[in-house]
Amino acid sequence: MSTAKRIFHQFGSPPWLFRFCGWVIPWLWAAFLGLAAWGLWWGLFRAPPDYLQGESVRIMYVHVPSAWMSMLIYALMALFSIGALVWHVRAAEVLAMASAPIGAAFTLLALVTGSLWGRPTWGTYWIWDARLTSELVLLFLYLGVMGLYNAFDEPRKGARAAALLSIVGLVNLPIIHYSVVWWNTLHQPGSVGVTGSSIHPDMLWPLLIMALATKFYYGANLLTRTRVRLLEENRNRRWVRNWILGESA
């Protein structure tokens, strides 16, 4: 068996995935806490204020990484859903459903911090701007996935229906990303791209550190939720009973 096939087979094995999560979770939480402390200290206390927005620009160090993560997590959730529906990988289904509440939390945080940032910048907490509206639609999609998953008595049926919705919702991601290009909006265009950034390095570095920290948070939270879900869904399996006996010994 090739290495790729072996990894794919192991990934689909609940006992192996459970053990893997247990090994890597502490490292992910440690990386998140260290990077978040470093990024917040740099962004809130060391980075200079913006020459136009003043001290309110410091909301950027939470708002922008949260907005990035809201889209990244949705894309990953849809990718996991494709793996669950096409290749019937049970672990991918678990990862997809575990991603939804984390993505919803990041989306809500992006909307709240964006509103707080918009008040001193635009003079209002909310406006039906294309970027803001499409981000709000993303929150509704996350809530729809979670609601649809919990609407069925049979978890597998609910997961399949929710997976289909998550895949359909992918159409909203390019709308969010290109909304500032396609329409005349108040929201400023992106300042960080693959070709470079227009942000001063003293402000860019803490932003990138916070962006990396949120990715470790997602990984730690996702695998923690996945581990709990694996225990719930396999509570009658021998490997779960053996693990419980081992923990209580």
Side-chain angles (χ1 to χ4, degrees):
M1 181 182 294
S2 66
T3 302
K5 288 183 178 180
R6 185 173 67 253
I7 294 175
F8 186 80
H9 177 74
Q10 289 177 332
F11 178 76
S13 169
W16 181 89
L17 183 59
F18 181 83
R19 291 192 297 269
F20 173 78
C21 291
W23 179 81
V24 76
I25 283 171
W27 298 99
L28 294 175
W29 280 119
F32 159 68
L33 291 174
L35 288 170
W38 183 21
L40 287 174
W41 170 78
W42 193 341
L44 297 180
F45 300 105
R46 182 180 170 185
D50 185 72
Y51 74 101
L52 288 177
Q53 301 178 37
E55 298 292 342
S56 65
V57 76
R58 300 189 190 279
I59 301 175
M60 168 182 71
Y61 301 112
V62 175
H63 169 72
V64 174
S66 298
W68 287 345
M69 287 304 297
S70 69
M71 293 187 288
L72 175 62
I73 293 174
Y74 195 93
L76 291 174
M77 181 178 69
L79 184 62
F80 291 141
S81 297
I82 293 173
L85 292 175
V86 177
W87 292 288
H88 306 288
V89 180
R90 183 73 184 96
E93 182 180 291
V94 173
L95 290 169
M97 296 303 103
S99 293
I102 310 172
F106 271 115
T107 307
L108 180 61
L109 183 59
L111 289 169
V112 171
T113 54
S115 296
L116 295 175
W117 195 2
R119 182 66 179 86
T121 304
W122 302 333
T124 181
Y125 287 107
W126 182 264
I127 189 171
W128 291 102
D129 177 269
R131 172 65 62 83
L132 300 182
T133 304
S134 54
E135 186 75 8
L136 181 62
V137 170
L138 184 64
L139 177 60
F140 291 152
L141 284 169
Y142 275 122
L143 296 177
V145 168
M146 290 187 291
L148 196 57
Y149 174 65
N150 292 294
F152 290 80
D153 294 331
E154 173 57 45
R156 297 300 300 275
K157 292 182 180 179
R160 293 189 188 100
L164 285 173
L165 176 60
S166 68
I167 295 171
V168 172
L170 277 173
V171 70
N172 189 49
L173 296 188
I175 295 176
I176 297 174
H177 182 72
Y178 292 107
S179 58
V180 294
V181 177
W182 292 343
W183 295 286
N184 183 22
T185 69
L186 287 177
H187 200 285
Q188 67 185 51
S191 301
V192 180
V194 293
T195 59
S197 170
S198 60
I199 304 177
H200 190 277
D202 286 342
M203 303 171 73
L204 176 62
W205 277 109
L207 178 63
L208 295 179
I209 292 170
M210 286 301 298
L212 184 59
T214 55
K215 290 172 176 58
F216 279 107
Y217 173 83
Y218 167 63
N221 200 337
L222 173 66
L223 296 187
T224 301
R225 290 175 177 273
T226 298
R227 209 163 188 248
V228 172
R229 195 178 295 272
L230 287 173
L231 284 178
E232 292 175 347
E233 296 185 357
N234 297 274
R235 56 185 175 272
N236 296 322
R237 299 293 181 89
R238 178 180 298 177
W239 68 267
V240 174
R241 293 196 297 268
N242 292 339
W243 177 81
I244 294 174
L245 291 174
E247 287 292 306
S248 59

